[in-house]
Amino acid sequence: MKLLIIGANGKTGRALVQQAVERGHQVTALVHHPPRLPLPSARILQGDARDPALMDIAVAAQDAVIDTLGTRKPFLKTTLETDAARNIIRAMHHHGVRRLIAVSSIGVGDSIANVKLLFRLLIPLFFRGAMPDKEGMEAELRSSNLDWTIVRPAGLTDDPPTNDIHVISPQSRRHVFRIPRADVAAFILTQLEQGTLLQQTVAIANR
């Protein structure tokens, strides 16, 4: 499968590139800055995901798109993810690409029910910029007619994969804490390959 991974220079993006290549996919990695570490076996495209012309080039001839964009300063107001989502959707419509998976976060939308009270109180302070942007990104996907999936992972870690991934519903009100990026990447690629969870939003965690 030909995959475009957006935000491939981030930790989750890099985990996805590595695992996708290992699974035999042909990967295009869209990065904002030159990779500090190699992204082996991936075609590298550099530029701003908010650039419609660049996104049109990146999406052309792909079978699916994975969006892992996020800000490094979640307390600052931003529209990065929302703006990029519009460009991604527009380019996918233009090129007839249907499958899109986007990484969001636990705490967005109704998944706030799965966040402990202490962290709920911290979100408006430390994530006051990122959370509205993620909500905007999710809204863009839901308003499209693409085969989208939104994945809301719990707190991301660099731990080794556990292969013990739980899908968490807001109705359960179960409080979750963390999940390794390697598990998130594996979950996303499995959904992509199996064609499951179309037009669904899911939260995942292992603790």
Side-chain angles (χ1 to χ4, degrees):
M1 191 181 296
K2 295 180 180 178
L3 301 182
L4 171 63
I5 299 176
I6 301 169
N9 220 4
K11 290 183 177 181
T12 303
R14 297 186 71 87
L16 273 159
V17 170
Q18 178 183 340
Q19 292 188 31
V21 169
E22 290 172 352
R23 291 183 183 217
H25 298 293
Q26 185 176 332
V27 176
T28 297
L30 181 60
V31 298
H32 192 231
H33 301 290
R36 288 169 293 182
L37 297 171
L39 288 165
S41 302
R43 168 192 175 217
I44 307 296
L45 282 181
Q46 183 182 342
D48 194 326
R50 292 167 291 191
D51 179 352
L54 172 68
M55 191 60 68
D56 193 71
I57 293 169
V59 168
Q62 302 294 340
D63 296 314
V65 177
I66 303 173
D67 175 11
T68 72
L69 285 174
T71 179
R72 295 183 180 180
K73 297 179 179 179
F75 50 88
L76 294 180
K77 183 178 180 180
T78 179
T79 58
L80 168 64
E81 294 188 52
T82 305
D83 294 343
R86 292 194 189 105
N87 287 337
I88 294 165
I89 292 165
R90 187 181 301 115
M92 290 179 70
H93 282 148
H94 180 217
H95 292 286
V97 181
R98 300 273 325 151
R99 190 69 171 110
L100 171 60
I101 299 183
V103 179
S104 185
S105 174
I106 201 77
V108 177
D110 56 3
S111 69
I112 193 69
N114 303 117
V115 178
K116 287 190 71 172
L117 177 59
L118 174 61
F119 293 103
R120 260 187 246 186
L121 297 174
L122 295 177
I123 285 173
L125 178 61
F126 293 103
F127 297 92
R128 61 184 180 272
M131 286 302 190
D133 194 23
K134 290 184 183 297
E135 290 170 356
M137 176 272 289
E138 290 192 5
E140 292 293 331
L141 266 65
R142 291 194 190 94
S143 66
S144 76
N145 64 351
L146 299 175
D147 295 329
W148 54 265
T149 302
I150 296 168
V151 178
R152 295 168 170 170
L156 295 168
T157 75
D158 297 324
D159 295 338
T162 66
N163 302 312
D164 180 30
I165 304 167
H166 301 275
V167 174
I168 312 297
S169 72
Q171 292 75 23
S172 73
R173 307 193 70 83
R174 173 184 167 187
H175 293 157
V176 297
F177 299 93
R178 64 190 66 174
I179 188 169
R181 290 177 173 87
D183 280 343
V184 175
F187 179 84
I188 288 172
L189 291 170
T190 297
Q191 308 318 311
L192 195 66
E193 293 160 356
Q194 294 180 351
T196 52
L197 300 177
L198 299 184
Q199 297 190 344
Q200 294 185 48
T201 302
V202 294
I204 59 172
N206 53 40
R207 285 195 58 191

